[in-house]
Amino acid sequence: MGQSIIMSRVLIVDDNSDILLVVETVWQMYGLEMMGIEKGEHVLPKATLFLAILILLDVFTYGISGIEFCNILKANHITKNTTYIKLYAHTNLEN
């Protein structure tokens, strides 16, 4: 029973709250349990507790890149086998 709960968890890391809200809302419509994180220093502690099957990482977060997050998470024994997708999104049409 616990396995099915874990199988539907997705963690998203993005420093833009609008993007977090949109992605969380859309994926929740498909029955996934979402956790959004805006602050980079919270990623590892929350990822090791939330146990997501997928982590969506913004490539250009403030202070640390999604690539650096990925390296940190891959070095952790709890999150090293998690699947990662690196995102690149802007809310401004000029970008």
Side-chain angles (χ1 to χ4, degrees), residues 8-46:
S8 64
R9 290 181 172 180
V10 177
L11 180 70
I12 178 168
V13 181
D14 198 307
D15 57 355
N16 184 310
S17 60
D18 293 332
I19 292 173
L20 280 177
L21 179 63
V22 169
V23 173
E24 286 178 354
T25 301
V26 170
W27 286 50
Q28 285 172 341
M29 289 174 17
Y30 291 96
L32 296 168
E33 182 180 351
M34 300 293 297
M35 176 186 280
I37 300 174
E38 284 186 63
K39 304 240 186 258
E41 64 268 15
H42 299 146
V43 173
L44 187 57
K46 289 189 177 186

Side-chain angles (χ1 to χ4, degrees), residues 32-91:
L32 296 168
E33 182 180 351
M34 300 293 297
M35 176 186 280
I37 300 174
E38 284 186 63
K39 304 240 186 258
E41 64 268 15
H42 299 146
V43 173
L44 187 57
K46 289 189 177 186
T48 57
L49 294 174
F50 190 62
L51 301 176
I53 61 159
L54 175 65
I55 299 177
L56 305 172
L57 296 162
D58 182 8
V59 173
F60 297 111
T61 55
Y62 179 77
I64 184 170
S65 75
I67 294 168
E68 290 174 276
F69 281 135
C70 189
N71 291 335
I72 291 167
L73 294 167
K74 285 289 186 187
N76 182 280
H77 71 282
I78 295 172
T79 57
K80 69 180 180 183
N81 294 318
T82 305
T83 301
Y84 303 90
I85 296 176
K86 297 174 190 109
L87 300 177
Y88 177 80
H90 283 283
T91 56

